[in-house]
Amino acid sequence: MRLLCVLLLVSALQLQCHGLLLPLTNTLSSLRQTNDTPVHHLLRSSSLRSAARHHRHRAHRSLPPRGHRQLSLPLSPGSDYTLSLSVGPQSAAAPVSLFLDTGSDLVWFPCAPFTCMLCEGKPTPRHSSPLPPPIDSRRVSCASPLCSAAHSSAPPADLCAAAQCPLEDIETDSCGASHACPPLYYAYGDGSLIAHLRRGRVGLAASMAVENFTFACAHTTLGEPVGVAGFGRGPLSLPAQLSPTLSGRFSYCLVAHSFRADRLIRPSPLILGRSPDTARLGTAEPDFVYTPLLHNPKHPYFYSVALEAVSVGGTRIQARPELGYVDRAGNGGMVVDSGTTFTMLPNETYARVAEAFGRAMAAARFVRAERSEAQTGLTPCYYYAASDRAANRGVPPLALHFRGNATVALPRRNYFMGFKSEGRDVGCLMLMNGGDASGEGDGGGGPAGTLGNFQQQGFEVMYDVDAGRVGFARRRCTDLWDSLSRR
């Protein structure tokens, strides 16, 4: 990291001993119509998207057909975070806004000519219009290991055949240099995309760029007009393609928004190459608590961790065993996912958490708001005024306990948020039922749970890939941004 200290960048994008600082923008702050959209509508949209994304992770026990890799993507904006990059030569670089997604490992964006089916009326962030393929980029060869990685590890001979190489070239393994990687078909949620793998210049900051970055140009999508910056553990992810100094660790700190655009005046910091040794702002800043990463043989790009228990007030609820391990088929564990809004728990664990929460709320004389449950897709909901200090004292504390003695005590607004619904003050438990942990109820396997970005607000989340762990530290994210951007 010492070499980084002598490189200076302009504005808030600064490469330093603490890594490369980049701003994340919540989609709420870039979509004008959300200022007038009732909060319960945004909550409903996000709860549906969270459920769809979690179940897509769990949709298939077996590997997808060769060349048809599964990828889960955001279905609609509302509580997602975007990262701005630039593509093309430095003299003619064009900005693109991409969703930050730790649950996938591909960087892609819309390329002209571009057709997006079933996208009518979907709002999009700034800098998300289709661009022509960058003039300095070129198609990736079908013999490239990254082509194989993008096609679910298909062997080069099969890829050469898909690229319509002559038979004699396939037999002599000589077609790679002259034939491009075949188009990729990706399925996700309730849609899909078709893209070509290309290699070219991608800029991260004013004076920081990767010259031979591999990305995908999508020419046809279903239901998704915005690209994605995959931050997963695969070779195609954005962190994996950076220099060794920046690729082994990154962190972000998501500014709390409560589904209100006026809470998002300043950006959320994303730090590439973040060093745990220099992560504290001062003596008052808490240390990270770390939990080890679990290997997922079916989904190696997931950041899977072991959730052992959930505490509601003084009640400690043991988590389903499936949340503590990943088997050979890739089933189990909890995925730390920046692209899912609400945390998803297996049916039994969720039911016990909701029951304990409900008992505590009933003891504090809160009244159920069942209409709000139907409106938001969240349950249980109660009539609750966030400004009422007495009411706040009645809401039980909630904590997540991960392997490695890593306890993450959530701020109240991360699991019980107050909002206005039809003129009344209400609040809902911001956790969701993720279905049967065994997969028997939804026809699939995969991760047993998902840790969503709403529960990650107000924490610096450290993805320490080199050390095989994920860390959590309570932070004032705006203060972290101010401190790092001044250096």
Side-chain angles (χ1 to χ4, degrees):
M1 295 293 280
R2 293 180 181 175
L3 178 60
L4 302 183
C5 301
V6 302
L7 301 178
L8 298 179
L9 299 180
V10 299
S11 185
L13 304 175
Q14 192 173 17
L15 191 59
Q16 38 171 293
C17 294
H18 294 268
L20 176 64
L21 177 64
L22 301 171
L24 296 176
T25 301
N26 190 284
T27 50
L28 287 173
S29 64
S30 60
L31 301 171
R32 291 181 212 167
Q33 56 266 51
T34 59
N35 294 331
D36 301 320
T37 303
V39 172
H40 66 262
H41 286 177
L42 294 173
L43 291 172
R44 180 67 175 174
S45 173
S46 291
S47 64
L48 289 172
R49 187 183 67 80
S50 296
R53 183 175 171 89
H54 174 73
H55 289 296
R56 188 60 194 178
H57 283 163
R58 298 171 49 76
H60 298 282
R61 287 183 181 274
S62 60
L63 288 173
R66 187 168 289 168
H68 289 65
R69 186 178 180 196
Q70 303 303 316
L71 178 66
S72 186
L73 299 175
L75 302 179
S76 61
S79 59
D80 304 301
Y81 294 83
T82 58
L83 169 66
S84 292
L85 305 175
S86 64
V87 296
Q90 187 172 7
S91 59
V96 293
S97 289
L98 309 176
F99 285 116
L100 173 73
D101 184 12
T102 60
S104 65
D105 66 341
L106 178 72
V107 178
W108 74 270
F109 53 86
C111 284
F114 178 70
T115 300
C116 185
M117 296 174 284
L118 301 182
C119 290
E120 293 79 5
K122 277 202 169 186
T124 56
R126 294 183 295 268
H127 306 313
S128 58
S129 300
L131 302 171
I135 58 175
D136 66 333
S137 67
R138 60 195 182 280
R139 293 278 298 275
V140 171
S141 163
C142 66
S144 167
L146 293 181
C147 180
S148 292
H151 282 269
S152 300
S153 301
D158 287 4
L159 295 173
C160 287
Q164 299 182 343
C165 301
L167 180 60
E168 58 270 20
D169 287 353
I170 297 174
E171 292 175 342
T172 59
D173 196 24
S174 60
C175 67
S178 57
H179 289 80
C181 184
L184 310 173
Y185 173 82
Y186 281 66
Y188 65 93
D190 60 355
S192 59
L193 65 92
I194 298 175
H196 289 99
L197 213 59
R198 304 185 71 91
R199 182 171 294 166
R201 183 183 184 276
V202 170
L204 303 175
S207 300
M208 177 67 184
V210 180
E211 294 297 333
N212 289 301
F213 193 94
T214 299
F215 55 86
C217 262
H219 294 286
T220 304
T221 65
L222 177 65
E224 182 50 69
V226 182
V228 169
F231 268 65
R233 301 170 73 180
L236 290 161
S237 75
L238 191 148
Q241 296 193 61
L242 298 178
S243 68
T245 306
L246 292 176
S247 62
R249 288 181 298 269
F250 67 90
S251 72
Y252 53 69
C253 195
L254 304 179
V255 175
H257 58 77
S258 301
F259 288 87
R260 289 176 52 184
D262 59 356
R263 296 283 183 90
L264 295 160
I265 299 173
R266 281 182 287 182
S268 298
L270 166 67
I271 309 129
L272 302 175
R274 181 68 152 157
S275 172
D277 297 332
T278 58
R280 297 175 68 182
L281 293 178
T283 56
E285 288 296 319
D287 289 323
F288 282 93
V289 293
Y290 288 101
T291 185
L293 285 169
L294 306 177
H295 174 62
N296 189 318
K298 180 182 176 183
H299 305 291
Y301 48 88
F302 282 163
Y303 296 100
S304 299
V305 297
L307 179 69
E308 297 183 335
V310 180
S311 291
V312 179
T315 303
R316 184 181 174 99
I317 300 164
Q318 198 68 23
R320 283 282 304 177
E322 291 88 347
L323 283 165
Y325 69 92
V326 179
D327 66 20
R328 294 181 179 179
N331 303 322
M334 171 171 270
V335 175
V336 185
D337 187 9
S338 69
T340 297
T341 306
F342 299 126
T343 291
M344 312 291 294
L345 296 172
N347 180 50
E348 180 183 323
T349 304
Y350 169 80
R352 294 178 63 194
V353 169
E355 181 184 9
F357 189 82
R359 284 198 305 267
M361 295 295 281
R365 302 183 181 278
F366 285 94
V367 178
R368 286 283 289 270
E370 294 182 358
R371 182 174 176 81
S372 295
E373 295 173 3
Q375 290 177 330
T376 62
L378 300 169
T379 186
C381 294
Y382 299 88
Y383 293 109
Y384 159 81
S387 59
D388 187 339
R389 293 185 177 181
N392 285 330
R393 287 194 294 269
V395 179
L398 191 147
L400 306 175
H401 305 281
F402 297 98
R403 181 169 299 163
N405 198 30
T407 293
V408 178
L410 298 180
R412 183 183 298 110
R413 65 171 177 267
N414 283 31
Y415 64 91
F416 190 75
M417 185 191 80
F419 59 95
K420 289 279 189 182
S421 179
E422 298 181 340
R424 299 196 65 176
D425 293 315
V426 297
C428 297
L429 180 65
M430 315 294 271
L431 307 176
M432 293 187 64
N433 187 341
D436 188 352
S438 67
E440 295 177 359
D442 54 19
T450 302
L451 180 63
N453 64 47
F454 197 84
Q455 279 65 52
Q456 298 176 44
Q457 292 180 130
F459 290 88
E460 184 178 2
V461 183
M462 171 80 74
Y463 295 80
D464 192 348
V465 181
D466 287 346
R469 60 185 184 173
V470 173
F472 303 89
R474 192 79 174 89
R475 298 277 190 259
R476 290 183 178 271
C477 297
T478 53
D479 290 351
L480 179 62
W481 170 264
D482 290 343
S483 173
L484 293 177
S485 63
R486 286 195 299 264
R487 299 184 183 185

